[in-house]
Amino acid sequence: MNSSTPGIEPELHARRAASFGARAAAYAEHRPDYPEKALAWGLAGARHAPERVLDLAAGTGKVSEGLLPLGVEVTAVEPDEKMLAELKKALPSVTPLSGTAEEIPLPDGSVDAVVVGQAVHWFDLDRAYPEMARVLKPGGVVAALWNHDDESVEWLAELNGLIKSSMSRRWLSDYESLPEHEAFEPFEKKTFGHRQPRTAETLVATLATHSHMLVAPAEEREAKLRTAREFLDRNPETASGEFDLPITTTVFRTRKR
């Protein structure tokens, strides 16, 4: 369980995990948020209504931004200083801390929930699970979320087929459950519909923030992004003005034993 991303080499896994900081501002601008109902369902797995929530591997604060309207106190832990700087700028009411899932800079039993957006596949779960259990209060919840393109939409499935790169891999969110751990009950899984307003230009900008694009050879990356823009420009549903990008949000939740 050392690497939680099946089918990906450790060196490539590390490169992809560390690739986002160079595009932190673009990530903050273009990556989608998370639907409130998905975050609320994740928190509802706790034995008691959460008051203090940890946004772990917080990035630029996409999860934190969604948690604040739910009336909780948010602490964000993120290892990349450039990503954390974007979070600080956007969300001054969130407590920002530098740290990792394997070494969480919080006391034992200090939070009611740990929420992770788009990041569990980067963790060393042998170390991260015990750390999450340590900082959680008894009965606290872990909720892991992923936003995916809804490939039941034909044009989006076609686009994603065109832009798969040599760095593309399958992620944990494709599976029916996350790896289990003795500190936690079995995971529950639920999906939610979501959408993000996009144009052809901003969707290509979003694609450019994906880790498989960030670590792909420059020539391949530029070719794939050019292919994406050409497709969007000729596809009737995306060729003119703003459209909705259909998203499926997958949530896994588990309670501390």
Side-chain angles (χ1 to χ4, degrees):
M1 200 164 62
N2 287 335
S3 172
S4 61
T5 308
I8 186 169
E9 301 83 355
E11 186 272 338
L12 177 57
H13 183 273
R15 283 173 58 209
R16 288 184 65 164
S19 65
F20 299 106
R23 296 298 304 276
Y27 193 106
E29 181 178 0
H30 295 298
R31 282 296 187 102
D33 60 4
Y34 295 92
E36 184 174 311
K37 58 189 176 182
L39 292 165
W41 183 81
L43 295 186
R47 188 168 296 134
H48 306 289
E51 297 179 1
R52 298 191 64 198
V53 179
L54 167 61
D55 178 4
L56 184 59
T60 61
K62 298 294 182 178
V63 165
S64 292
E65 182 181 12
L67 288 170
L68 290 173
L70 298 178
V72 295
E73 178 186 332
V74 181
T75 298
V77 169
E78 164 60 36
D80 189 294
E81 290 301 324
K82 292 179 180 177
M83 300 286 272
L84 200 59
E86 293 292 331
L87 185 151
K88 292 176 184 177
K89 185 166 56 177
L91 302 169
S93 63
V94 172
T95 301
L97 297 174
S98 181
T100 67
E102 296 78 18
E103 294 184 33
I104 300 173
L106 289 175
D108 296 357
S110 57
V111 297
D112 304 295
V114 177
V115 183
V116 187
Q118 223 79 13
V120 166
H121 49 268
W122 302 125
F123 296 172
D124 176 350
L125 289 177
D126 287 331
R127 298 168 60 203
Y129 274 151
E131 273 292 273
M132 289 188 273
R134 179 186 65 78
V135 301
L136 277 172
K137 296 176 182 176
V141 70
V142 173
L145 299 90
W146 281 268
N147 282 325
H148 308 269
D149 294 337
D150 180 357
E151 292 196 344
S152 68
V153 177
E154 187 175 339
W155 71 260
L156 191 49
E158 185 177 352
L159 171 64
N160 285 340
L162 289 171
I163 64 168
K164 280 186 177 177
S165 74
S166 61
M167 302 294 147
S168 299
R169 295 295 185 273
R170 190 180 182 202
W171 299 119
L172 279 174
S173 46
D174 294 326
Y175 293 79
E176 284 307 307
S177 181
L178 297 184
E180 295 187 0
H181 189 273
E182 61 186 5
F184 298 103
E185 297 176 1
F187 280 91
E188 301 173 87
K189 179 180 181 180
K190 191 168 183 177
T191 59
F192 299 83
H194 193 33
R195 63 185 185 178
Q196 183 190 32
R198 297 279 78 184
T199 63
E201 181 179 3
T202 59
L203 180 50
V204 171
T206 303
L207 296 174
T209 70
H210 292 179
S211 64
H212 74 99
M213 289 290 188
L214 292 171
V215 302
E219 185 176 344
E220 180 184 12
R221 178 173 60 251
E222 293 310 312
K224 292 294 183 181
L225 294 175
R226 186 167 58 251
T227 295
R229 182 59 191 263
E230 290 170 355
F231 172 85
L232 293 168
D233 284 345
R234 69 175 182 267
N235 175 49
E237 293 170 88
T238 58
S240 179
E242 191 171 87
F243 56 89
D244 282 335
L245 176 68
I247 296 170
T248 297
T249 302
T250 299
V251 188
F252 293 97
R253 74 180 184 190
T254 183
R255 185 182 296 133
K256 181 179 175 179
R257 294 188 190 274

